[in-house]
Amino acid sequence: HDLLWSSGGALELPKCFYQIVYWEFVDGRPYMKAEDSTLTMTVNTASGEEVLIQQLSPYSARKTLGHLTGPEESINQAYQELQNKTKSQDMFLKQSNLNPYEAWTYYFSIYLPSIGFTLPNSAFTEKELNAIDRAARRTIISKCGFNKNTKKEILEGPSELGGAGFRNLYTERKE
């Protein structure tokens, strides 16, 4: 914190936290376990005041920069949050009166950035991401003027080669 403060920055201390993770190895496989820790972490503010930083359980997830993070169960919470976000986008699209051009613009300027923002930091499988994208994808495809039963290979193919240019979330995750 002192180095950051001396360079002109400052931490937002109420947003700071830390997690201590203990690992137990059984037959060579690591298992995370929570232990009560008596360790504390303090940081000095610019005025010299000592501030205690909050310790979280390694099993708790925390939203940081719009991304749900945590070493253990956060993957399920993040999956559910992303699923809810796509359902919300799907409901908006179903109730909207967008023409194909507007739907295409919505897909690339709002849907993909909002859904894909945290994907590079996630560990979702291709199957999970396809399940997340499924409902909204069918609505978007239909709103863009394509048959919602069009083969995935055509929809995700590059437009230069006759495809529709839609994006696969798993591929978006890798970029």
Side-chain angles (χ1 to χ4, degrees), residues 12-160:
E12 184 69 32
L13 294 176
K15 293 182 178 180
C16 294
F17 65 92
Y18 69 99
Q19 294 171 302
I20 296 177
V21 180
Y22 293 95
W23 296 95
E24 183 176 302
F25 290 84
V26 178
D27 296 327
R29 298 186 70 196
Y31 293 93
M32 190 171 74
K33 64 186 238 183
E35 289 190 12
D36 290 332
S37 175
T38 57
L39 297 174
T40 59
M41 182 184 294
T42 58
V43 174
N44 292 332
T45 64
S47 64
E49 178 187 351
E50 205 171 76
V51 176
L52 183 67
I53 304 297
Q54 178 187 10
Q55 179 182 0
L56 297 180
S57 161
Y59 298 105
S60 66
R62 181 81 173 240
K63 198 168 207 168
T64 306
L65 298 175
H67 182 54
L68 202 56
T69 60
E72 183 64 27
E73 291 297 317
S74 64
I75 189 76
N76 295 332
Q77 289 173 290
Y79 180 86
Q80 193 60 48
E81 188 174 285
L82 204 54
Q83 185 85 5
N84 291 341
K85 192 183 283 188
T86 57
K87 285 179 183 176
S88 163
Q89 300 257 4
D90 183 47
M91 288 302 297
F92 167 78
L93 284 165
K94 284 179 177 173
Q95 295 170 357
S96 72
N97 193 19
L98 299 177
N99 66 40
Y101 176 76
E102 292 167 337
W104 186 258
T105 302
Y106 178 86
Y107 175 70
F108 280 100
S109 64
I110 296 172
Y111 179 77
L112 277 180
S114 70
I115 300 302
F117 173 70
T118 61
L119 291 182
N121 296 322
S122 71
F124 296 123
T125 64
E126 187 170 10
K127 184 178 178 180
E128 289 170 328
L129 288 172
N130 286 339
I132 287 170
D133 195 35
R134 186 171 294 119
R137 165 73 73 103
R138 290 176 63 85
T139 304
I140 290 167
I141 287 166
S142 179
K143 287 280 187 179
C144 287
F146 295 95
N147 183 321
K148 59 186 172 188
N149 296 316
T150 303
K151 289 280 190 192
K152 183 178 177 181
E153 293 79 7
I154 294 171
L155 292 170
E156 294 176 2
S159 55
E160 298 84 16

